[in-house]
Each structure stands twice: as C-alpha cells, then as structure tokens.
Amino acid sequence: MSDPVTACVYGAPPPALATAPAGAQQVSPLVPGAEPIEALAPASLSAAVIAAPPGTLERRYALALALRALQPGGALTALAPKEKGGSRLRKELEAFGCKVEEEGRQHQRICYAVRPETPEGLAAAIAAGGLQRLGDNGLWTQPGVFSWDRDDAGSQLLIAALPALSGKVADLGCGIGVLASALLASPKVKRLELVDLDRRALEAARRNVEDPRVAFHWADARSGPDLTDLDFVVMNPPFHDSGQEDKALGQAFIRRARQMLRKGGTLWLVANRHLPYETVLGEQFSRVAPKSEGKGFKIYEART
C-alpha cells in the first residue's frame, strides 16, 4: 500500500528557487494526468508549493485551493516572476489571512506562508476562478483558459472560412470547444477528436460540446494522442510557452497534423499574421493555399 500524499506541487517551480517535498503530488491543469487541485481533500496536506499563474483570478484560485487543502499550520510556498503576478503574491496571501515572509531572487518573488486556522475569502476566490458560464455567449469557461472571457478573433475568422467538413476530424488545441461547435454543424463529420493541454479547457468543452461523435484527449498535441488516418485537422495553435513567444510551438503543431492526416487529408490553420509558418507548411504539405486574412490573422488550407 502506497504512503498517503502529504504535499502537492502546482506547475514547475524553478528547482533553484523552490523544492517540492519528496512524493509531492502534481496538481497543475497543464500537466496531463496530474491530480486536479480541486480534488485535494480539505486539511489533508502538510505542504504545498505553487508556481503561481499570471492571471489574477487564476492565481488566487490556485492559492485558495492550496490553502483549503493544507492542514492548519501547513507550509505554503508560492512564487512567480515579479512582472507576472509575483509583485502581488504577498498581498493576496495576506488577504487570505496568512502571515507571509517574502524574498526576491532571479527576478521572482517567493512567498512563504503558514495556513492559518481559519483562512479568509477562500470560497469567494474559488468561485471567481472556477468553471463558470459567461452570459455573453452562454459557453462554459474558466479563468486561465485561452481567451476565456471573450471571443477569439482568429477562431471566428477560421469558422467563417471553413467549408463543411466530413469524415474523421481533429481540433488540436481545442480550447473550450468554439471551433468544435462549428465543425459539428456538418452531419458528414463522423468523428471529432478534441485535443488540449489544459484540463480546464477540456472540462468546459465537455459541457459546451455534447455530441456522441466527440472524443476528448487531455494531451500535448505535439506528442499525443496517437491519431492517424484523419480526413481533416483544424487548429488555432498556441505560440506562447510560459509567457514567452515561441514560434516553434505552432510549427510543431503543423508537423504533428501532417502525421495524423491520411494521404489526401487537409489541414485548416489560423495564425497571427507575423508568425512564420509558410516554410514548414511547404515542407510538410504538397499544396498550400492562403484562404483568408484579416484582423491580424491569416488562414491556410494545406493538403497532403
């Protein structure tokens, strides 16, 4: 019988700045297979280490859930780059009733706190940062998910350009299911594979896209899941990693799409206009055609 989990780690704190206790359970929604932080039993942990996310609602949500899971007197270490929420960490923890010690190293703010007997405001922070339905479009979403509180212009441009698809289709980086809803309007779509690295996005998509033709995959699209012989792949790929622009991300998505498609299959891609995807598209596909452009985005159809 395995030992009970007594600590958790959220994300990937730099080892030189914060070390998670041995056996700490990973609880980040961006690590496929990790335990949901929401599932941690109240007052069950002795320690938590949080690489705090940059968004205010998302960050306070993670901190509140960690404090809820800690036993009174349990140790919380939270850190973030100063310009990406680190400068606010101390005040946010103090607002929960914590006494905080703080230091700065390597452009990060590191806060050390102890879970008080009765933290303040946890329920409100958890409600504000949790899964919710927005009134504007009626879709389920959550702070921290891509374009969580607004329509993404690139996705809308792609929806307007797409023909009615058919057969087996995948949406890589599906988010909360905005593209999926448009794709499923075609009765000729027999199967739709939705892939995203963010567990929260998939949980929202499950509510937004209720259709027996859909399968959900919590995975990094660059390496999984093992999908082949698809007729179409659509995507609005990410181009930031840990807050920094990374053009290689979208290029890796393009290569992965090619591996998934059957001979004669087609990729539909929307991307920011400045991103250099033309070369990799030309290397991977036999025919590449620009289909639309506007609002800072470009759309390509690429055939194997």
Side-chain angles (χ1 to χ4, degrees), residues 50-238:
I50 307 294
T56 299
L57 293 177
E58 179 189 11
R59 183 174 59 252
R60 294 185 71 249
Y61 177 76
L63 294 173
L65 286 168
L67 286 168
R68 186 180 73 175
L70 284 168
Q71 303 161 355
L76 172 63
T77 300
L79 66 161
K82 182 178 179 181
E83 70 281 5
K84 294 180 181 177
S87 61
R88 302 184 184 92
L89 271 176
R90 179 169 190 157
K91 287 186 177 180
E92 290 171 342
L93 288 168
E94 289 175 341
F96 289 131
C98 298
K99 293 183 179 180
V100 182
E101 294 183 6
E102 182 183 24
E103 66 171 325
R105 281 187 284 147
Q106 298 181 20
H107 307 291
Q108 299 227 11
R109 305 304 299 177
I110 309 165
C111 291
Y112 308 95
V114 171
R115 196 260 205 196
E117 187 70 33
T118 308
E120 304 170 5
L122 298 189
I126 291 169
L131 191 65
Q132 54 196 268
R133 198 169 193 168
L134 290 187
D136 290 348
N137 56 23
L139 295 177
W140 288 94
T141 184
Q142 186 169 349
V145 170
F146 171 69
S147 194
W148 80 273
D149 59 349
R150 63 193 184 280
D151 287 336
D152 173 63
S155 295
Q156 295 303 317
L157 192 69
L158 179 55
I159 288 171
L162 281 172
L165 304 187
S166 61
K168 296 185 294 183
V169 185
D171 178 358
L172 305 186
C174 66
I176 64 171
V178 173
L179 287 178
S181 297
L183 296 170
L184 291 167
S186 170
K188 293 184 178 181
V189 170
K190 303 303 181 185
R191 178 81 167 175
L192 177 58
E193 312 284 351
L194 298 185
V195 183
D196 206 283
L197 181 65
D198 195 327
R199 172 182 52 78
R200 300 164 300 180
L202 284 178
E203 289 178 357
R206 288 179 190 276
R207 298 191 181 206
N208 294 329
V209 186
E210 296 184 11
D211 192 297
R213 295 173 288 172
V214 177
F216 299 88
H217 305 274
W218 183 17
D220 186 333
R222 293 171 293 179
S223 56
D226 185 17
L227 301 173
T228 58
D229 201 35
L230 298 178
D231 298 291
F232 292 92
V233 171
V234 300
M235 60 184 183
N236 181 359

